[in-house]
Amino acid sequence: MSVWGGYFEFDLAVAPDAPFVLRAVETYDRAQLKDYDILVDGVVVHSRSYQRAEGGVGALSYQVLVDRADLTADGKVRVRFQEDAEGRNYDPSIADVWSLPVTTG
């Protein structure tokens, strides 16, 4: 289980003044529900709630569009994975995170 209000955070390079995609690889050790918020520079950009049905060890990749160019002015953002306020389910177990520029066309 998780610790109420637990989090981890880090700085991430992004393209300046542009939206970006945040891609993450999350690991699991059993069937479980994980729910938490993803914040960028203190702004909640995604609330994740995912129930994994398979048992045993596994990993899942997912991505989130961060369509907030105003947060990327300096080419760096602070990303936080924040446990839900009640600490009732499993917290994130993130193996890798990276950013991708948003391309059009």
Side-chain angles (χ1 to χ4, degrees):
M1 296 295 282
S2 61
V3 175
W4 173 86
Y7 69 89
F8 68 94
E9 65 183 10
F10 51 90
D11 292 332
L12 184 67
V14 295
D17 298 313
F20 66 96
V21 172
L22 181 70
R23 188 170 288 170
V25 177
E26 187 164 48
T27 62
Y28 294 84
D29 62 354
R30 67 188 76 156
Q32 58 197 183
L33 172 62
K34 293 188 179 188
D35 57 358
Y36 50 89
D37 290 330
I38 301 172
L39 295 85
V40 172
D41 287 348
V43 176
V44 175
V45 296
H46 184 71
S47 292
R48 180 154 171 84
S49 182
Y50 182 78
Q51 174 68 57
R52 181 173 184 261
E54 305 104 54
V57 175
L60 175 71
S61 296
Y62 69 92
Q63 60 188 31
V64 174
L65 173 62
V66 181
D67 195 14
R68 293 284 309 265
D70 60 312
L71 300 176
T72 65
D74 63 357
K76 177 180 75 171
V77 294
R78 166 104 358 143
V79 177
R80 177 184 280 211
F81 289 79
Q82 173 84 46
E83 176 55 54
D84 72 320
E86 290 82 33
R88 59 182 177 233
N89 297 310
Y90 291 88
D91 56 353
S93 176
I94 305 298
D96 201 2
V97 177
W98 62 99
S99 67
L100 299 165
V102 174
T103 57
T104 59

